[in-house]
């Protein structure tokens, strides 16, 4: 009897919407989580093709003592669309392969692929279900300014390179409202129970 594949659930949303916070709840419920942003950063520091690409595009000083100068790269790619496209064409296929390798080892009913740019990168097409995390833009900017100690401009520079919520919502199977007023845990539990029903039916 062939092993039933776990459900592939994409969790996406704009910067600071609350994806990572919500994925921690899914993890507690028993859903292994693959964080595309974190894995991308790991691969940016360890995959030879990516390291070579970043050095070719940003100069050898982009890595200092093996550590990427994130601010230098961010200031460039979020203000130069062509450069952002080149970087994404380099990084995303390698992250997608890495996710597929991780997924092949999973045995739980459902797994989560947390990716800020799930739609923008096209990776949503490989998902069985998609959850979009929604929060007002101004609140997201305030959260990221507080969390990362960056300027509002640095956050809006990223937001302008991401889909808007009204683009995500029509393509999403579930929506989680993660503004400060709505408790996210009950929303996560409700969606998880629906997904497990899907898997076991
Ligand atoms: C620009 C870099 C160096 C900034 O690193 P930093 O640690 O500050 O941010 P991190 O990678 O943790 O991303 C934080 C948030 O920035 C936003 N963001 C990151 N990359 C992108 C992108 N290509 N397009 C839009 N938003 C992005 C997302 O909301 C993400 O959650 C890094 O994000 C990068 O190299 N991005 C390009 C590769 C990529 O697309 N990574 C996304 C995951 S596949
Ligand atoms: N529902 C919520 N209510 C209040 N604060 C929240 C909520 N969800 C997340 N936060 C806070 O907002 C900040 C951003 O949350 P989180 O890191 O989960 O967002 P994210 O979507 O993963 O961000 P990024 O796209 O940068 O990875 C964090 O400091 C977190 O503690």
């Amino acid at each position: 009897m062939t092993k039933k594949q776990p459900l592939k659930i994409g969790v996406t949303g704009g910067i600071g919407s609350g994806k990572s916070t919500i994925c921690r709840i899914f993890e507690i419920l028993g859903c292994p989580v693959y964080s595309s942003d974190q894995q991308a950063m790991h691969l940016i520091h360890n995959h030879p093709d990516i390291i070579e690409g970043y050095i070719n595009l940003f100069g050898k000083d982009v890595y200092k003592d093996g550590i990427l100068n994130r601010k230098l790269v961010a200031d460039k790619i979020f203000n130069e669309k062509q450069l952002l496209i080149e970087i994404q064409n380099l990084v995303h296929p390698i992250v997608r392969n890495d996710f597929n390798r991780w997924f092949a080892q999973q045995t739980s009913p459902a797994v989560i692929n947390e990716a800020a740019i799930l739609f923008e990168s096209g990776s949503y097409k490989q998902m069985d279900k998609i959850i979009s995390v929604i929060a007002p833009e101004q609140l997201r900017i305030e959260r990221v300014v507080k969390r990362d100690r960056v300027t509002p401009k640095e956050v809006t520079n990223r937001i302008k390179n991401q889909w808007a919520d009204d683009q995500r919502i029509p393509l999403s199977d579930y929506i989680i409202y993660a503004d400060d007023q709505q408790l996210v845990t009950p929303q996560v539990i409700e969606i998880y129970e629906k997904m497990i029903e899907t898997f076991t039916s």
Side-chain angles (χ1 to χ4, degrees), residues 36-59:
S36 291
D37 294 355
Q38 281 175 21
Q39 271 310 101
M41 199 44 69
H42 170 76
L43 291 164
I44 287 166
H45 284 91
N46 292 281
H47 193 290
D49 295 350
I50 297 180
I51 293 169
E52 185 187 356
Y54 270 59
I55 290 172
N56 290 343
L57 285 168
F58 303 106

PDB file of all heavy atoms in Angstrom, residues 36-59:
ATOM      1  N   SER A  36      10.725  28.840   4.901  1.00  0.00           N
ATOM      2  CA  SER A  36      11.485  29.156   3.687  1.00  0.00           C
ATOM      3  C   SER A  36      12.468  30.298   3.916  1.00  0.00           C
ATOM      4  O   SER A  36      13.600  30.262   3.435  1.00  0.00           O
ATOM      5  CB  SER A  36      10.531  29.523   2.550  1.00  0.00           C
ATOM      6  OG  SER A  36       9.815  28.378   2.148  1.00  0.00           O
ATOM      7  N   ASP A  37      12.031  31.326   4.685  1.00  0.00           N
ATOM      8  CA  ASP A  37      12.940  32.461   4.915  1.00  0.00           C
ATOM      9  C   ASP A  37      14.185  31.993   5.671  1.00  0.00           C
ATOM     10  O   ASP A  37      15.318  32.307   5.300  1.00  0.00           O
ATOM     11  CB  ASP A  37      12.243  33.550   5.758  1.00  0.00           C
ATOM     12  CG  ASP A  37      11.084  34.181   5.008  1.00  0.00           C
ATOM     13  OD1 ASP A  37      10.899  33.836   3.831  1.00  0.00           O
ATOM     14  OD2 ASP A  37      10.357  34.984   5.613  1.00  0.00           O
ATOM     15  N   GLN A  38      13.969  31.210   6.744  1.00  0.00           N
ATOM     16  CA  GLN A  38      15.117  30.763   7.561  1.00  0.00           C
ATOM     17  C   GLN A  38      16.019  29.841   6.748  1.00  0.00           C
ATOM     18  O   GLN A  38      17.244  29.980   6.744  1.00  0.00           O
ATOM     19  CB  GLN A  38      14.629  30.020   8.822  1.00  0.00           C
ATOM     20  CG  GLN A  38      14.160  30.936   9.935  1.00  0.00           C
ATOM     21  CD  GLN A  38      13.585  30.138  11.105  1.00  0.00           C
ATOM     22  OE1 GLN A  38      13.880  28.945  11.270  1.00  0.00           O
ATOM     23  NE2 GLN A  38      12.747  30.792  11.881  1.00  0.00           N
ATOM     24  N   GLN A  39      15.398  28.910   6.014  1.00  0.00           N
ATOM     25  CA  GLN A  39      16.196  27.968   5.216  1.00  0.00           C
ATOM     26  C   GLN A  39      16.933  28.701   4.097  1.00  0.00           C
ATOM     27  O   GLN A  39      18.071  28.399   3.773  1.00  0.00           O
ATOM     28  CB  GLN A  39      15.300  26.881   4.633  1.00  0.00           C
ATOM     29  CG  GLN A  39      15.140  25.673   5.531  1.00  0.00           C
ATOM     30  CD  GLN A  39      16.474  25.134   6.040  1.00  0.00           C
ATOM     31  OE1 GLN A  39      16.863  25.397   7.178  1.00  0.00           O
ATOM     32  NE2 GLN A  39      17.195  24.416   5.206  1.00  0.00           N
ATOM     33  N   ALA A  40      16.246  29.719   3.530  1.00  0.00           N
ATOM     34  CA  ALA A  40      16.911  30.514   2.481  1.00  0.00           C
ATOM     35  C   ALA A  40      18.168  31.167   3.049  1.00  0.00           C
ATOM     36  O   ALA A  40      19.242  31.125   2.443  1.00  0.00           O
ATOM     37  CB  ALA A  40      15.953  31.577   1.938  1.00  0.00           C
ATOM     38  N   MET A  41      18.033  31.727   4.270  1.00  0.00           N
ATOM     39  CA  MET A  41      19.181  32.400   4.890  1.00  0.00           C
ATOM     40  C   MET A  41      20.293  31.386   5.177  1.00  0.00           C
ATOM     41  O   MET A  41      21.478  31.656   4.973  1.00  0.00           O
ATOM     42  CB  MET A  41      18.726  33.099   6.172  1.00  0.00           C
ATOM     43  CG  MET A  41      19.681  34.172   6.658  1.00  0.00           C
ATOM     44  SD  MET A  41      20.320  35.280   5.393  1.00  0.00           S
ATOM     45  CE  MET A  41      18.869  36.180   4.950  1.00  0.00           C
ATOM     46  N   HIS A  42      19.913  30.180   5.598  1.00  0.00           N
ATOM     47  CA  HIS A  42      20.925  29.121   5.825  1.00  0.00           C
ATOM     48  C   HIS A  42      21.655  28.798   4.520  1.00  0.00           C
ATOM     49  O   HIS A  42      22.888  28.743   4.458  1.00  0.00           O
ATOM     50  CB  HIS A  42      20.242  27.859   6.370  1.00  0.00           C
ATOM     51  CG  HIS A  42      21.148  26.656   6.395  1.00  0.00           C
ATOM     52  ND1 HIS A  42      22.140  26.478   7.342  1.00  0.00           N
ATOM     53  CD2 HIS A  42      21.252  25.598   5.549  1.00  0.00           C
ATOM     54  CE1 HIS A  42      22.796  25.360   7.088  1.00  0.00           C
ATOM     55  NE2 HIS A  42      22.282  24.809   6.007  1.00  0.00           N
ATOM     56  N   LEU A  43      20.888  28.655   3.445  1.00  0.00           N
ATOM     57  CA  LEU A  43      21.478  28.311   2.142  1.00  0.00           C
ATOM     58  C   LEU A  43      22.291  29.474   1.579  1.00  0.00           C
ATOM     59  O   LEU A  43      23.322  29.268   0.938  1.00  0.00           O
ATOM     60  CB  LEU A  43      20.369  27.887   1.174  1.00  0.00           C
ATOM     61  CG  LEU A  43      19.697  26.557   1.523  1.00  0.00           C
ATOM     62  CD1 LEU A  43      18.366  26.410   0.767  1.00  0.00           C
ATOM     63  CD2 LEU A  43      20.623  25.368   1.221  1.00  0.00           C
ATOM     64  N   ILE A  44      21.860  30.702   1.856  1.00  0.00           N
ATOM     65  CA  ILE A  44      22.616  31.894   1.407  1.00  0.00           C
ATOM     66  C   ILE A  44      24.006  31.905   2.042  1.00  0.00           C
ATOM     67  O   ILE A  44      24.967  32.414   1.482  1.00  0.00           O
ATOM     68  CB  ILE A  44      21.830  33.180   1.743  1.00  0.00           C
ATOM     69  CG1 ILE A  44      20.624  33.337   0.803  1.00  0.00           C
ATOM     70  CG2 ILE A  44      22.711  34.431   1.675  1.00  0.00           C
ATOM     71  CD1 ILE A  44      19.596  34.359   1.241  1.00  0.00           C
ATOM     72  N   HIS A  45      24.111  31.276   3.216  1.00  0.00           N
ATOM     73  CA  HIS A  45      25.411  31.204   3.900  1.00  0.00           C
ATOM     74  C   HIS A  45      26.165  29.908   3.636  1.00  0.00           C
ATOM     75  O   HIS A  45      27.334  29.792   4.020  1.00  0.00           O
ATOM     76  CB  HIS A  45      25.211  31.362   5.417  1.00  0.00           C
ATOM     77  CG  HIS A  45      24.954  32.771   5.837  1.00  0.00           C
ATOM     78  ND1 HIS A  45      23.684  33.304   5.930  1.00  0.00           N
ATOM     79  CD2 HIS A  45      25.792  33.780   6.155  1.00  0.00           C
ATOM     80  CE1 HIS A  45      23.754  34.565   6.293  1.00  0.00           C
ATOM     81  NE2 HIS A  45      25.025  34.887   6.440  1.00  0.00           N
ATOM     82  N   ASN A  46      25.509  28.930   3.001  1.00  0.00           N
ATOM     83  CA  ASN A  46      26.189  27.625   2.881  1.00  0.00           C
ATOM     84  C   ASN A  46      26.187  27.009   1.485  1.00  0.00           C
ATOM     85  O   ASN A  46      26.959  26.096   1.232  1.00  0.00           O
ATOM     86  CB  ASN A  46      25.520  26.618   3.849  1.00  0.00           C
ATOM     87  CG  ASN A  46      25.782  26.986   5.302  1.00  0.00           C
ATOM     88  OD1 ASN A  46      26.850  26.730   5.841  1.00  0.00           O
ATOM     89  ND2 ASN A  46      24.811  27.673   5.924  1.00  0.00           N
ATOM     90  N   HIS A  47      25.300  27.486   0.601  1.00  0.00           N
ATOM     91  CA  HIS A  47      25.227  26.835  -0.725  1.00  0.00           C
ATOM     92  C   HIS A  47      26.211  27.541  -1.677  1.00  0.00           C
ATOM     93  O   HIS A  47      26.071  28.748  -1.936  1.00  0.00           O
ATOM     94  CB  HIS A  47      23.788  26.912  -1.268  1.00  0.00           C
ATOM     95  CG  HIS A  47      23.560  26.004  -2.443  1.00  0.00           C
ATOM     96  ND1 HIS A  47      24.136  26.259  -3.673  1.00  0.00           N
ATOM     97  CD2 HIS A  47      22.861  24.862  -2.587  1.00  0.00           C
ATOM     98  CE1 HIS A  47      23.785  25.298  -4.530  1.00  0.00           C
ATOM     99  NE2 HIS A  47      23.014  24.429  -3.886  1.00  0.00           N
ATOM    100  N   PRO A  48      27.195  26.802  -2.231  1.00  0.00           N
ATOM    101  CA  PRO A  48      28.247  27.463  -3.035  1.00  0.00           C
ATOM    102  C   PRO A  48      27.712  28.268  -4.212  1.00  0.00           C
ATOM    103  O   PRO A  48      28.215  29.355  -4.503  1.00  0.00           O
ATOM    104  CB  PRO A  48      29.112  26.293  -3.515  1.00  0.00           C
ATOM    105  CG  PRO A  48      28.413  25.033  -3.140  1.00  0.00           C
ATOM    106  CD  PRO A  48      27.408  25.356  -2.104  1.00  0.00           C
ATOM    107  N   ASP A  49      26.657  27.760  -4.872  1.00  0.00           N
ATOM    108  CA  ASP A  49      26.125  28.500  -6.041  1.00  0.00           C
ATOM    109  C   ASP A  49      25.514  29.834  -5.603  1.00  0.00           C
ATOM    110  O   ASP A  49      25.635  30.859  -6.299  1.00  0.00           O
ATOM    111  CB  ASP A  49      25.046  27.661  -6.752  1.00  0.00           C
ATOM    112  CG  ASP A  49      25.638  26.390  -7.362  1.00  0.00           C
ATOM    113  OD1 ASP A  49      26.894  26.283  -7.380  1.00  0.00           O
ATOM    114  OD2 ASP A  49      24.858  25.504  -7.758  1.00  0.00           O
ATOM    115  N   ILE A  50      24.859  29.835  -4.443  1.00  0.00           N
ATOM    116  CA  ILE A  50      24.245  31.096  -3.972  1.00  0.00           C
ATOM    117  C   ILE A  50      25.332  32.067  -3.528  1.00  0.00           C
ATOM    118  O   ILE A  50      25.310  33.251  -3.871  1.00  0.00           O
ATOM    119  CB  ILE A  50      23.247  30.831  -2.834  1.00  0.00           C
ATOM    120  CG1 ILE A  50      22.075  29.954  -3.319  1.00  0.00           C
ATOM    121  CG2 ILE A  50      22.733  32.158  -2.266  1.00  0.00           C
ATOM    122  CD1 ILE A  50      21.030  29.642  -2.275  1.00  0.00           C
ATOM    123  N   ILE A  51      26.320  31.539  -2.787  1.00  0.00           N
ATOM    124  CA  ILE A  51      27.416  32.405  -2.314  1.00  0.00           C
ATOM    125  C   ILE A  51      28.118  33.054  -3.510  1.00  0.00           C
ATOM    126  O   ILE A  51      28.336  34.270  -3.547  1.00  0.00           O
ATOM    127  CB  ILE A  51      28.413  31.593  -1.460  1.00  0.00           C
ATOM    128  CG1 ILE A  51      27.732  31.153  -0.142  1.00  0.00           C
ATOM    129  CG2 ILE A  51      29.686  32.404  -1.170  1.00  0.00           C
ATOM    130  CD1 ILE A  51      28.519  30.127   0.653  1.00  0.00           C
ATOM    131  N   GLU A  52      28.386  32.227  -4.541  1.00  0.00           N
ATOM    132  CA  GLU A  52      29.047  32.774  -5.743  1.00  0.00           C
ATOM    133  C   GLU A  52      28.169  33.840  -6.393  1.00  0.00           C
ATOM    134  O   GLU A  52      28.629  34.918  -6.774  1.00  0.00           O
ATOM    135  CB  GLU A  52      29.320  31.630  -6.734  1.00  0.00           C
ATOM    136  CG  GLU A  52      30.110  32.071  -7.976  1.00  0.00           C
ATOM    137  CD  GLU A  52      30.211  30.949  -9.030  1.00  0.00           C
ATOM    138  OE1 GLU A  52      29.743  29.820  -8.757  1.00  0.00           O
ATOM    139  OE2 GLU A  52      30.744  31.233 -10.116  1.00  0.00           O
ATOM    140  N   GLY A  53      26.854  33.557  -6.448  1.00  0.00           N
ATOM    141  CA  GLY A  53      25.928  34.514  -7.072  1.00  0.00           C
ATOM    142  C   GLY A  53      25.869  35.828  -6.322  1.00  0.00           C
ATOM    143  O   GLY A  53      25.904  36.915  -6.929  1.00  0.00           O
ATOM    144  N   TYR A  54      25.805  35.745  -4.979  1.00  0.00           N
ATOM    145  CA  TYR A  54      25.740  36.984  -4.186  1.00  0.00           C
ATOM    146  C   TYR A  54      27.023  37.799  -4.340  1.00  0.00           C
ATOM    147  O   TYR A  54      27.018  39.020  -4.431  1.00  0.00           O
ATOM    148  CB  TYR A  54      25.466  36.656  -2.713  1.00  0.00           C
ATOM    149  CG  TYR A  54      23.983  36.595  -2.362  1.00  0.00           C
ATOM    150  CD1 TYR A  54      23.129  35.696  -3.000  1.00  0.00           C
ATOM    151  CD2 TYR A  54      23.417  37.455  -1.424  1.00  0.00           C
ATOM    152  CE1 TYR A  54      21.785  35.638  -2.698  1.00  0.00           C
ATOM    153  CE2 TYR A  54      22.068  37.402  -1.105  1.00  0.00           C
ATOM    154  CZ  TYR A  54      21.255  36.486  -1.753  1.00  0.00           C
ATOM    155  OH  TYR A  54      19.910  36.443  -1.456  1.00  0.00           O
ATOM    156  N   ILE A  55      28.173  37.093  -4.380  1.00  0.00           N
ATOM    157  CA  ILE A  55      29.452  37.817  -4.538  1.00  0.00           C
ATOM    158  C   ILE A  55      29.532  38.461  -5.923  1.00  0.00           C
ATOM    159  O   ILE A  55      29.921  39.624  -6.067  1.00  0.00           O
ATOM    160  CB  ILE A  55      30.650  36.860  -4.296  1.00  0.00           C
ATOM    161  CG1 ILE A  55      30.714  36.484  -2.803  1.00  0.00           C
ATOM    162  CG2 ILE A  55      31.975  37.491  -4.770  1.00  0.00           C
ATOM    163  CD1 ILE A  55      31.717  35.398  -2.474  1.00  0.00           C
ATOM    164  N   ASN A  56      29.075  37.735  -6.949  1.00  0.00           N
ATOM    165  CA  ASN A  56      29.081  38.308  -8.316  1.00  0.00           C
ATOM    166  C   ASN A  56      28.184  39.547  -8.395  1.00  0.00           C
ATOM    167  O   ASN A  56      28.506  40.509  -9.090  1.00  0.00           O
ATOM    168  CB  ASN A  56      28.600  37.264  -9.342  1.00  0.00           C
ATOM    169  CG  ASN A  56      29.610  36.150  -9.544  1.00  0.00           C
ATOM    170  OD1 ASN A  56      30.790  36.293  -9.170  1.00  0.00           O
ATOM    171  ND2 ASN A  56      29.161  35.019 -10.067  1.00  0.00           N
ATOM    172  N   LEU A  57      27.068  39.513  -7.694  1.00  0.00           N
ATOM    173  CA  LEU A  57      26.104  40.619  -7.804  1.00  0.00           C
ATOM    174  C   LEU A  57      26.409  41.792  -6.873  1.00  0.00           C
ATOM    175  O   LEU A  57      26.135  42.939  -7.200  1.00  0.00           O
ATOM    176  CB  LEU A  57      24.675  40.104  -7.508  1.00  0.00           C
ATOM    177  CG  LEU A  57      24.031  39.269  -8.632  1.00  0.00           C
ATOM    178  CD1 LEU A  57      22.778  38.570  -8.120  1.00  0.00           C
ATOM    179  CD2 LEU A  57      23.694  40.143  -9.851  1.00  0.00           C
ATOM    180  N   PHE A  58      27.003  41.477  -5.691  1.00  0.00           N
ATOM    181  CA  PHE A  58      27.168  42.551  -4.694  1.00  0.00           C
ATOM    182  C   PHE A  58      28.623  42.812  -4.322  1.00  0.00           C
ATOM    183  O   PHE A  58      28.913  43.673  -3.502  1.00  0.00           O
ATOM    184  CB  PHE A  58      26.378  42.202  -3.421  1.00  0.00           C
ATOM    185  CG  PHE A  58      24.913  41.973  -3.659  1.00  0.00           C
ATOM    186  CD1 PHE A  58      24.390  40.679  -3.633  1.00  0.00           C
ATOM    187  CD2 PHE A  58      24.064  43.032  -3.952  1.00  0.00           C
ATOM    188  CE1 PHE A  58      23.042  40.447  -3.875  1.00  0.00           C
ATOM    189  CE2 PHE A  58      22.712  42.809  -4.201  1.00  0.00           C
ATOM    190  CZ  PHE A  58      22.201  41.517  -4.161  1.00  0.00           C
ATOM    191  N   GLY A  59      29.552  42.023  -4.888  1.00  0.00           N
ATOM    192  CA  GLY A  59      30.978  42.218  -4.545  1.00  0.00           C
ATOM    193  C   GLY A  59      31.400  41.296  -3.416  1.00  0.00           C
ATOM    194  O   GLY A  59      30.579  40.864  -2.600  1.00  0.00           O
TER     195      GLY A  59
END
